Amino acid sequence: MLLLALDTATPAVTVALHDGTSVVAASSQVDARRHGELLLPAVDRVLAEAGLRLDAVTGVVVGVGPGPYTGLRVGLMTADTFGLALGVPVHGLCTLDGLAYAAGEEGGIEGPFVVATDARRKEVYWARYADTRTRVTEPAVDRPGELDIGGLPAVGAGALLYPDTFPDARAPEHVSAAALASLAAERLVAGEELAAPRPLYLRRPDAQVPKNYKVVTPK
């Protein structure tokens, strides 16, 4: 097994390689406006660090969000393209699940807890977890002031932005492809079937087609 994992659902542009046992190379950069510019160089970087070629990859894992439309589609389209070019399966994983898994690896959280990422528009994408591998609610998008998390610990950039709602906010702030790859490898080795690489937008994109076009041609 050699999984190429990537995620662009948050401001982090993150890529990792996992050999079925451990992460062999990883790269993460935080820049909400340069997903398209940073992703492929990051793929090249982790392959070079591992001393491997792209054709050694046996599967692709991509974070499916929830996340903003523009950034999220960069990772999804890149993953689909790699899958088609290499003839390998493309697996989808909820980005919040990757953050939850990383919370156990990096932050020492066991559960229960909440994951919240920044959804902009003064909202968060969030879900509740029983432990670092078990999500107990569907991902949702809401205003922080409308949430009652019962004082649970919370991880993610959304939690750090709104301390009144998430008073016990902890690291990590952004998802890492290393955690995403490790979670995917763990589930695949256990014989679990992963989700299809389909985006979790949860709301309409910011850019909308105007409902009424202004007539500018002569009659």
Side-chain angles (χ1 to χ4, degrees), residues 2 10 17 20 27 33 35 59 67 72-73 75 86-88 112-113 116 135 142 147 157 191:
L2 184 66
T10 73
L17 285 170
S27 170
R33 298 181 180 275
H35 293 91
L72 184 53
R73 68 178 178 174
L86 298 171
V88 300
F113 65 101
R135 176 161 38 87
D142 289 292
L147 300 178

Side-chain angles (χ1 to χ4, degrees), residues 97-98 100-102 104-105 109-111 113 128-136 182-183 186-187 192:
D97 291 355
Y101 188 89
E105 298 292 305
I109 289 182
E110 296 179 358
F113 65 101
R128 192 184 301 261
Y129 289 78
D131 55 51
T132 59
R133 293 169 174 79
T134 310
R135 176 161 38 87
V136 295
S182 297
L183 178 59
E186 185 178 292
R187 290 180 175 177
E192 296 182 34

Side-chain angles (χ1 to χ4, degrees), residues 26 35 45 58 76 83 97-98 100 110-111 155 161 173 182 189 196 212 215:
H35 293 91
R45 193 157 51 246
T58 61
L76 286 163
D97 291 355
E110 296 179 358
V155 301
L161 280 173
E173 181 175 357
S182 297
V189 168
N212 298 307
V215 177

Side-chain angles (χ1 to χ4, degrees), residues 49-122:
E49 181 182 335
L52 297 167
R53 292 166 50 93
L54 184 60
D55 58 12
V57 169
T58 61
V60 180
V61 178
V62 61
V64 299
Y69 177 81
T70 303
L72 184 53
R73 68 178 178 174
V74 171
L76 286 163
M77 292 304 297
T78 301
D80 278 342
T81 301
F82 282 148
L84 287 171
L86 298 171
V88 300
V90 180
H91 308 288
L93 271 182
C94 176
T95 297
L96 302 181
D97 291 355
L99 256 167
Y101 188 89
E105 298 292 305
E106 301 173 25
I109 289 182
E110 296 179 358
F113 65 101
V114 169
V115 174
T117 61
D118 182 16
R120 304 173 188 171
R121 303 184 192 174
K122 297 181 179 179

